[in-house]
Amino acid sequence: MKKLYIPPLFVTLILTLCCACSGGKKKVEEPPITIIPVKELPAVMEAHGIVGDGSSMNVLQLVQSDGDTVEVLISNQMVMGGLLVGDEVDVVYTTIEDFPVAQLAVNTTALEHLWSQKGTDGHLQSLELDKNGKAATYGMSIEYEKWSVQNGFLLLQTPKKVLEERGVETDTFQIMMLTEDSLVLMAPNAPIASAFYRDN
């Protein structure tokens, strides 16, 4: 019986083809997922106090009721009512790179006046805000008895009526402008702002 002779080169060729076919499809490597850290938004804080004599054009020194002093970076565009040493101020600020930066400052001392306007019927109507947080209205359809500033907003509180079921209500107004002789307020969902002039 004759033996079949297979050349070694032929065997090598067959084995190479088999290995190539058995590899099948190569697995495509997925690109690595890059996670980009998101910076936390700076917290919004609020402080009440008196303008200290260490204040300058760009820095407000705020002396709080407990005696602590906060220095806040500020610009004129963020101030409602101006800043005078000794005035009371409400400041809303954030901390950027460990330094307080004001978003808004409202001079509450500048609010303490009688503010008037002509109503839609042409009659005079007024809102009085005093330094003790008491409010009064004259010739207006709504009555207020207390006021305060929180987070840069003017809050006006209605009195509790003895024989009425409804309790005390608080109306919130955005202070659009506050100068020595003008006050402009915007109520939520109001179509237009309400402008007052200083009457005392």
Side-chain angles (χ1 to χ4, degrees), residues 51-154:
V51 179
D53 55 12
S55 299
S56 64
M57 184 184 293
N58 298 316
V59 177
L60 166 64
Q61 183 188 63
L62 192 69
V63 182
Q64 299 179 90
S65 57
D66 58 5
D68 285 349
T69 301
V70 179
E71 290 191 345
V72 183
L73 274 177
I74 203 156
S75 69
N76 287 336
Q77 292 83 2
M78 301 170 185
V79 178
M80 295 289 175
L83 295 175
L84 291 174
V85 173
D87 283 357
E88 288 192 35
V89 180
D90 178 82
V91 182
V92 178
Y93 67 94
T94 58
T95 301
I96 298 174
E97 294 182 0
D98 297 329
F99 203 90
V101 178
Q103 291 187 324
L104 179 65
V106 177
N107 186 330
T108 56
T109 300
L111 281 169
E112 296 167 2
H113 296 290
L114 178 68
W115 301 97
S116 299
Q117 65 177 188
K118 280 194 175 179
T120 52
D121 58 0
H123 288 91
L124 192 68
Q125 51 189 30
S126 303
L127 169 67
E128 186 172 22
L129 309 173
D130 79 4
K131 64 180 181 179
N132 299 315
K134 291 182 180 177
T137 56
Y138 309 100
M140 297 177 74
S141 59
I142 189 164
E143 185 181 354
Y144 294 116
E145 70 169 3
K146 291 181 182 177
W147 74 278
S148 62
V149 173
Q150 290 181 20
N151 293 315
F153 291 92
L154 174 64

